[in-house]
Amino acid sequence: MQSKTEWMELALQLAKATEGQTSPNPSVGAVVVKDGIILGMGSHLQAGEAHAEVHAINQAGDKAKGAEIYVTLEPCAHFGKTPPCANLIVESGIKKVYIACVDPNPQVAGKGIKILEQAGIEVEVGIKETQAILLNRKFFHYMEKKRPYVTLKAAMTLDGKTATSTGDSKWITSKEAREMVHQSRHQHDAILVGKETVLKDDPQLTTRLPQGGKNPIRIILDTHLTIKGDYQIFSRDVPTWIVCTQEADVKGHKELYPHVEFIQLPTKTIELADLLAILGERQIQSLYVEGGQTVHASFLKEQLADEYHWYIAPKLLGGQDARSVIGGISPLKMDEATDLDISEIKEVGQDILVVARPKKG
Ligand SMILES: Nc1c(/N=C/[C@H](O)[C@H](O)[C@H](O)COP(=O)(O)O)[nH]c(=O)[nH]c1=O
Ligand SMILES: Nc1c(N[C@@H]2O[C@H](COP(=O)(O)O)[C@@H](O)[C@H]2O)[nH]c(=O)[nH]c1=O
Ligand SMILES: [Zn+2]
């Protein structure tokens, strides 16, 4: 007989396994148990398909009567692609529901729990809540703020350089690290770079994994539409959006790049908060910012980065004229630094990846 935390851990594993493939839905896992025996378990696999509870309860069938269900997110209460999970749980005869965390989606947000309690079902919320919230941090952020969860990615030498003074940067990190970057691209709805990166690196910004993967929408910040000529980023196989400002000549540029979408901001400069709100309206839930140093500087200055992925290679470049990770102007005092919580450090091939998030509050 396993403890309720172990059953919830199993449900979380089922949810974690689908991370990155359920957007714009959260990743959810569910386990139906009776007298220490697993009667059904499942994960929500793709947006628009059956929810985790539906899979688990279908597997349990009539044996669900009198059983318990462990689910990593509050069962939904709205009629989406499938009937509400809360009602399904009531009909199944399940007698107790363990929930890791409440669903902030206004369509749910406590309604699922109310339906269960009104049907006389015992509900316990908060088992492994921290892990469940961390797993769906992008979804929760988007539901709350209606703007994408922003992850800044940079690859640098041990002394914090992203290129030599001549702009050469191929390659700093190893094949394994670059493959992990493509994993992240697969898991994000959109990827963003500044015009300098386009002009200097001519990046494709596509997801090139041995097992395949989803290409994020490519977004370029080009205030005055200075990019002309042919670059890989304008390939027709992946949507590309260019962000510019009010004086930019979009009409003229449309002739150059007829298949590219333009987001023209009503301001003289690109206000990132405005851009993120527009991306939020376009259902972009997660944004991967691959730099370069000017773009990173803007996100840091506006405090609009939610997560940092710093890939650090065991190399030293030296030279104050080499390109540093974040450009812009330095604060005058050390206590103006942005404090971070380092949530993960892992070895990737010969490199290390530091995952950090701004300290809350
Ligand atoms: N120079 C390095 C990186 N360089 C990152 C730059 O943004 C570079 O233009 C793009 O990653 C190229 O994208 P694509 O391969 O054409 O799709 N990023 C890394 O992770 N390691 C490095 O060594
Ligand atoms: N994936 C998931 C839930 N997702 C919730 O339902 C919303 C998506 O509904 P729909 O468009 O019908 O798929 C999503 O925004 C989130 O609030 N709920 C659950 O009970 N179990 C699940 O496995
Ligand atoms: Zn549901």
Side-chain angles (χ1 to χ4, degrees), residues 51 53 75-76 82-85:
H51 285 181
E53 301 91 321
C76 69
T82 52
C85 292

Short mmCIF file of all heavy atoms in Angstrom, two decimals, residues 51 53 75-76 82-85, ligand 3:
data_model
loop_
_atom_site.label_atom_id
_atom_site.label_comp_id
_atom_site.label_asym_id
_atom_site.label_seq_id
_atom_site.Cartn_x
_atom_site.Cartn_y
_atom_site.Cartn_z
N HIS A 51 -8.76 14.45 -21.49
CA HIS A 51 -7.99 14.86 -20.31
C HIS A 51 -7.47 13.64 -19.57
O HIS A 51 -7.97 12.53 -19.76
CB HIS A 51 -8.87 15.73 -19.41
CG HIS A 51 -9.05 17.10 -19.96
ND1 HIS A 51 -9.79 18.08 -19.33
CD2 HIS A 51 -8.60 17.68 -21.10
CE1 HIS A 51 -9.76 19.19 -20.04
NE2 HIS A 51 -9.04 18.96 -21.13
N GLU A 53 -7.84 12.61 -16.53
CA GLU A 53 -8.84 11.88 -15.72
C GLU A 53 -9.68 10.94 -16.60
O GLU A 53 -10.05 9.84 -16.20
CB GLU A 53 -9.78 12.85 -15.00
CG GLU A 53 -9.09 13.84 -14.06
CD GLU A 53 -8.74 15.13 -14.77
OE1 GLU A 53 -8.31 15.08 -15.95
OE2 GLU A 53 -8.89 16.20 -14.16
N PRO A 75 -9.63 19.07 -11.37
CA PRO A 75 -10.44 18.61 -12.49
C PRO A 75 -11.26 19.75 -13.07
O PRO A 75 -11.81 20.57 -12.33
CB PRO A 75 -11.35 17.54 -11.86
CG PRO A 75 -10.58 17.07 -10.67
CD PRO A 75 -9.86 18.28 -10.16
N CYS A 76 -11.31 19.78 -14.41
CA CYS A 76 -11.98 20.90 -15.08
C CYS A 76 -13.49 20.85 -14.88
O CYS A 76 -14.07 19.81 -14.56
CB CYS A 76 -11.64 20.91 -16.56
SG CYS A 76 -12.36 19.54 -17.47
N THR A 82 -14.04 17.70 -24.20
CA THR A 82 -14.65 16.54 -23.51
C THR A 82 -15.52 17.11 -22.39
O THR A 82 -15.31 18.24 -21.98
CB THR A 82 -13.53 15.66 -22.88
OG1 THR A 82 -12.70 16.51 -22.09
CG2 THR A 82 -12.69 14.98 -23.94
N PRO A 83 -16.52 16.30 -21.88
CA PRO A 83 -17.35 16.82 -20.79
C PRO A 83 -16.46 17.11 -19.57
O PRO A 83 -15.36 16.57 -19.47
CB PRO A 83 -18.33 15.68 -20.51
CG PRO A 83 -17.85 14.50 -21.25
CD PRO A 83 -16.86 14.93 -22.26
N PRO A 84 -16.94 17.95 -18.64
CA PRO A 84 -16.08 18.32 -17.51
C PRO A 84 -15.64 17.09 -16.72
O PRO A 84 -16.44 16.20 -16.42
CB PRO A 84 -16.99 19.21 -16.66
CG PRO A 84 -18.11 19.62 -17.55
CD PRO A 84 -18.26 18.54 -18.57
N CYS A 85 -14.37 17.08 -16.38
CA CYS A 85 -13.83 15.94 -15.61
C CYS A 85 -14.47 15.83 -14.24
O CYS A 85 -14.67 14.72 -13.72
CB CYS A 85 -12.32 16.09 -15.45
SG CYS A 85 -11.46 15.90 -17.02
ZN ZN B 3 -10.77 17.93 -17.59
#
